[in-house]
Coordinates of all heavy atoms in Angstrom, one line a residue:
K384 N 0.8 -1.2 0.0 CA 0.0 0.0 0.0 C 0.9 1.3 0.0 O 0.6 2.2 -0.7 CB -0.9 0.0 1.2 CG -2.1 -1.0 1.1 CD -3.0 -0.9 2.3 CE -4.1 -1.9 2.2 NZ -5.0 -1.9 3.3
K385 N 2.0 1.2 0.8 CA 2.9 2.4 0.8 C 3.5 2.6 -0.6 O 3.6 3.7 -1.0 CB 3.9 2.2 1.9 CG 3.4 2.4 3.3 CD 4.6 2.2 4.3 CE 4.0 2.3 5.7 NZ 5.1 2.1 6.7
T386 N 3.9 1.5 -1.2 CA 4.5 1.6 -2.5 C 3.5 2.2 -3.5 O 3.9 3.0 -4.3 CB 5.1 0.3 -3.0 OG1 6.0 -0.2 -2.0 CG2 5.8 0.4 -4.3
A387 N 2.3 1.7 -3.5 CA 1.3 2.2 -4.4 C 0.9 3.6 -4.1 O 0.7 4.4 -5.1 CB 0.0 1.3 -4.3
A388 N 0.9 4.0 -2.9 CA 0.6 5.4 -2.6 C 1.8 6.3 -3.0 O 1.5 7.4 -3.6 CB 0.5 5.6 -1.1
K389 N 3.0 5.9 -2.9 CA 4.1 6.7 -3.4 C 4.1 6.8 -4.9 O 4.3 7.9 -5.4 CB 5.4 6.1 -2.9 CG 5.7 6.3 -1.5 CD 7.1 5.6 -1.1 CE 7.3 5.6 0.4 NZ 8.6 4.9 0.7
L390 N 3.8 5.7 -5.6 CA 3.7 5.8 -7.0 C 2.6 6.6 -7.5 O 2.8 7.4 -8.4 CB 3.6 4.3 -7.6 CG 3.5 4.2 -9.1 CD1 4.8 4.6 -9.7 CD2 3.2 2.8 -9.5
S391 N 1.5 6.6 -6.9 CA 0.3 7.4 -7.2 C 0.7 8.9 -7.0 O 0.3 9.7 -7.8 CB -0.9 7.1 -6.4 OG -1.3 5.8 -6.6
F392 N 1.4 9.2 -5.9 CA 1.8 10.6 -5.6 C 2.7 11.1 -6.7 O 2.5 12.2 -7.2 CB 2.4 10.7 -4.3 CG 2.9 12.0 -3.9 CD1 2.0 13.0 -3.6 CD2 4.2 12.4 -4.0 CE1 2.4 14.3 -3.3 CE2 4.7 13.6 -3.7 CZ 3.8 14.6 -3.3
V393 N 3.7 10.3 -7.1 CA 4.6 10.7 -8.1 C 3.9 10.9 -9.5 O 4.2 11.9 -10.2 CB 5.8 9.7 -8.3 CG1 6.6 9.9 -9.5 CG2 6.6 9.6 -7.1
I394 N 3.0 10.1 -9.8 CA 2.2 10.2 -11.1 C 1.4 11.5 -11.1 O 1.4 12.2 -12.0 CB 1.4 9.0 -11.3 CG1 2.3 7.8 -11.7 CG2 0.4 9.2 -12.5 CD1 1.5 6.5 -11.8
I395 N 0.8 11.8 -9.9 CA 0.0 13.0 -9.8 C 0.8 14.2 -9.9 O 0.5 15.2 -10.6 CB -0.9 13.0 -8.5 CG1 -2.0 11.9 -8.6 CG2 -1.4 14.3 -8.2 CD1 -2.7 11.6 -7.3
V396 N 2.0 14.2 -9.3 CA 2.9 15.4 -9.4 C 3.4 15.6 -10.8 O 3.4 16.7 -11.3 CB 4.1 15.2 -8.4 CG1 5.2 16.2 -8.7 CG2 3.6 15.3 -7.0
V397 N 3.7 14.5 -11.5 CA 4.2 14.7 -12.9 C 3.0 15.2 -13.8 O 3.2 16.1 -14.6 CB 4.7 13.3 -13.4 CG1 4.9 13.4 -14.9 CG2 6.0 13.0 -12.7
L398 N 1.8 14.7 -13.6 CA 0.7 15.2 -14.4 C 0.4 16.7 -14.1 O 0.1 17.4 -15.0 CB -0.6 14.3 -14.1 CG -0.5 12.9 -14.7 CD1 -1.7 12.1 -14.2 CD2 -0.4 12.9 -16.2
V399 N 0.5 17.1 -12.8 CA 0.2 18.5 -12.5 C 1.3 19.4 -13.1 O 1.1 20.4 -13.7 CB 0.2 18.7 -11.0 CG1 0.2 20.2 -10.6 CG2 -1.1 18.1 -10.4
L400 N 2.6 18.9 -13.1 CA 3.7 19.7 -13.7 C 3.5 19.8 -15.2 O 3.7 20.8 -15.8 CB 5.0 19.0 -13.4 CG 5.6 19.3 -12.0 CD1 6.9 18.5 -11.8 CD2 5.9 20.7 -11.8
L401 N 3.0 18.7 -15.8 CA 2.8 18.8 -17.3 C 1.7 19.8 -17.6 O 1.8 20.6 -18.6 CB 2.3 17.4 -17.8 CG 3.4 16.4 -18.1 CD1 2.8 15.0 -18.4 CD2 4.2 16.8 -19.3
A402 N 0.6 19.8 -16.8 CA -0.4 20.8 -17.0 C 0.0 22.2 -16.8 O -0.3 23.1 -17.6 CB -1.7 20.4 -16.2
V403 N 0.7 22.4 -15.7 CA 1.2 23.8 -15.4 C 2.2 24.3 -16.4 O 2.2 25.5 -16.8 CB 1.7 23.8 -14.0 CG1 2.4 25.2 -13.7 CG2 0.6 23.6 -13.0
M404 N 3.1 23.4 -16.8 CA 4.2 23.8 -17.7 C 3.9 23.5 -19.2 O 4.8 23.3 -20.0 CB 5.5 23.2 -17.3 CG 5.9 23.7 -15.9 SD 7.4 23.0 -15.4 CE 8.5 24.0 -16.4
N405 N 2.6 23.5 -19.6 CA 2.2 23.3 -21.0 C 2.7 24.5 -21.8 O 2.3 25.6 -21.5 CB 0.7 23.1 -21.0 CG 0.3 22.6 -22.4 OD1 1.1 22.3 -23.3 ND2 -1.0 22.5 -22.6
P406 N 3.5 24.3 -22.8 CA 4.0 25.4 -23.6 C 3.0 26.1 -24.4 O 2.0 25.5 -24.9 CB 5.1 24.8 -24.5 CG 4.7 23.3 -24.6 CD 4.0 23.0 -23.4
G407 N 3.2 27.4 -24.6 CA 2.3 28.2 -25.5 C 3.0 28.6 -26.7 O 4.2 28.2 -27.0
K408 N 2.4 29.4 -27.5 CA 3.0 29.8 -28.8 C 4.3 30.6 -28.6 O 5.2 30.5 -29.4 CB 2.0 30.7 -29.6 CG 1.0 30.0 -30.4 CD 0.2 31.0 -31.3 CE -0.8 30.2 -32.2 NZ -1.5 31.2 -33.0
E409 N 4.3 31.4 -27.5 CA 5.5 32.2 -27.2 C 6.7 31.3 -27.0 O 7.8 31.5 -27.5 CB 5.3 33.1 -26.0 CG 4.2 34.1 -26.2 CD 2.8 33.5 -25.9 OE1 2.7 32.5 -25.2 OE2 1.8 34.1 -26.4
D410 N 6.5 30.2 -26.2 CA 7.6 29.3 -25.9 C 8.0 28.6 -27.2 O 9.2 28.4 -27.4 CB 7.1 28.2 -24.9 CG 6.6 28.8 -23.6 OD1 7.4 29.7 -23.1 OD2 5.5 28.5 -23.1
F411 N 7.1 28.2 -28.0 CA 7.5 27.5 -29.3 C 8.2 28.5 -30.2 O 9.1 28.1 -30.9 CB 6.3 26.9 -30.0 CG 6.6 26.2 -31.3 CD1 7.3 25.0 -31.2 CD2 6.3 26.8 -32.5 CE1 7.7 24.4 -32.4 CE2 6.7 26.2 -33.7 CZ 7.4 25.0 -33.6
G412 N 7.7 29.7 -30.3 CA 8.4 30.8 -31.1 C 9.8 31.0 -30.7 O 10.7 31.1 -31.5
E413 N 10.0 31.0 -29.4 CA 11.4 31.2 -28.9 C 12.3 30.0 -29.3 O 13.4 30.1 -29.7 CB 11.3 31.3 -27.3 CG 12.7 31.6 -26.7 CD 12.5 31.9 -25.2 OE1 11.5 32.5 -24.8 OE2 13.4 31.4 -24.5
Y414 N 11.7 28.8 -29.1 CA 12.4 27.6 -29.5 C 12.8 27.6 -31.0 O 13.9 27.3 -31.4 CB 11.6 26.3 -29.2 CG 12.1 25.1 -29.9 CD1 13.2 24.4 -29.5 CD2 11.4 24.6 -31.1 CE1 13.7 23.3 -30.2 CE2 11.9 23.5 -31.7 CZ 13.0 22.8 -31.3 OH 13.4 21.7 -32.0
A415 N 11.8 27.9 -31.8 CA 12.0 27.9 -33.3 C 13.0 28.9 -33.7 O 13.9 28.7 -34.5 CB 10.7 28.2 -34.0
V416 N 13.0 30.1 -33.1 CA 14.0 31.2 -33.4 C 15.4 30.7 -33.0 O 16.4 30.9 -33.7 CB 13.6 32.5 -32.8 CG1 14.7 33.5 -32.9 CG2 12.4 33.0 -33.5
N417 N 15.5 30.1 -31.8 CA 16.8 29.7 -31.3 C 17.3 28.6 -32.2 O 18.5 28.5 -32.5 CB 16.7 29.1 -29.9 CG 16.5 30.2 -28.9 OD1 16.8 31.4 -29.2 ND2 16.0 29.9 -27.7
H418 N 16.5 27.7 -32.7 CA 16.9 26.6 -33.6 C 17.3 27.3 -34.9 O 18.3 26.8 -35.5 CB 15.7 25.7 -33.8 CG 16.1 24.5 -34.6 ND1 16.9 23.5 -34.2 CD2 15.7 24.1 -35.9 CE1 17.1 22.6 -35.1 NE2 16.3 22.9 -36.1
L419 N 16.6 28.3 -35.4 CA 17.0 29.0 -36.6 C 18.4 29.7 -36.4 O 19.2 29.6 -37.3 CB 15.9 30.0 -37.0 CG 16.2 30.8 -38.2 CD1 16.1 29.9 -39.5 CD2 15.1 31.9 -38.4
E420 N 18.6 30.3 -35.3 CA 19.9 30.9 -35.0 C 21.0 29.9 -35.0 O 22.1 30.2 -35.5 CB 19.8 31.7 -33.7 CG 19.1 33.0 -33.7 CD 19.0 33.7 -32.4 OE1 19.6 33.1 -31.4 OE2 18.3 34.7 -32.3
E421 N 20.8 28.7 -34.5 CA 21.8 27.7 -34.5 C 22.2 27.3 -35.9 O 23.3 27.1 -36.3 CB 21.4 26.5 -33.7 CG 21.3 26.7 -32.2 CD 20.7 25.5 -31.5 OE1 20.5 24.4 -32.2 OE2 20.4 25.6 -30.3
T422 N 21.1 27.3 -36.8 CA 21.4 26.9 -38.2 C 22.1 28.0 -38.9 O 23.0 27.7 -39.7 CB 20.0 26.7 -38.9 OG1 19.3 25.7 -38.1 CG2 20.2 26.2 -40.3
L423 N 21.7 29.3 -38.7 CA 22.3 30.4 -39.4 C 23.6 30.9 -38.8 O 24.4 31.5 -39.4 CB 21.4 31.6 -39.5 CG 20.1 31.3 -40.3 CD1 19.2 32.6 -40.2 CD2 20.4 31.0 -41.7
G424 N 23.8 30.6 -37.5 CA 25.0 31.1 -36.8 C 24.6 32.3 -36.0 O 23.6 33.0 -36.3

C-alpha cells in the first residue's frame, strides 16, 4: 500500500507539472528562433 501510494503521488505530481508547464505559442516561437539561429549562426 505504501509503494502504491508513493507511485500514485509521483504520477499525480508529474501530471500536474505537465499541465502547469504546458508550452504556449511564445515558448514555441522562442524555440523555433533559437533553432534557426543555431542553423544560421
Side-chain angles (χ1 to χ4, degrees):
K384 287 181 182 178
K385 287 181 182 178
T386 305
K389 287 178 184 178
L390 181 63
S391 298
F392 178 74
V393 168
I394 290 172
I395 289 171
V396 167
V397 169
L398 291 175
V399 168
L400 281 174
L401 278 170
V403 170
M404 298 185 72
N405 189 5
K408 276 188 177 183
E409 300 83 20
D410 301 313
F411 180 73
E413 187 176 317
Y414 162 79
V416 169
N417 289 340
H418 186 67
L419 180 65
E420 286 178 0
E421 289 173 9
T422 304
L423 298 177

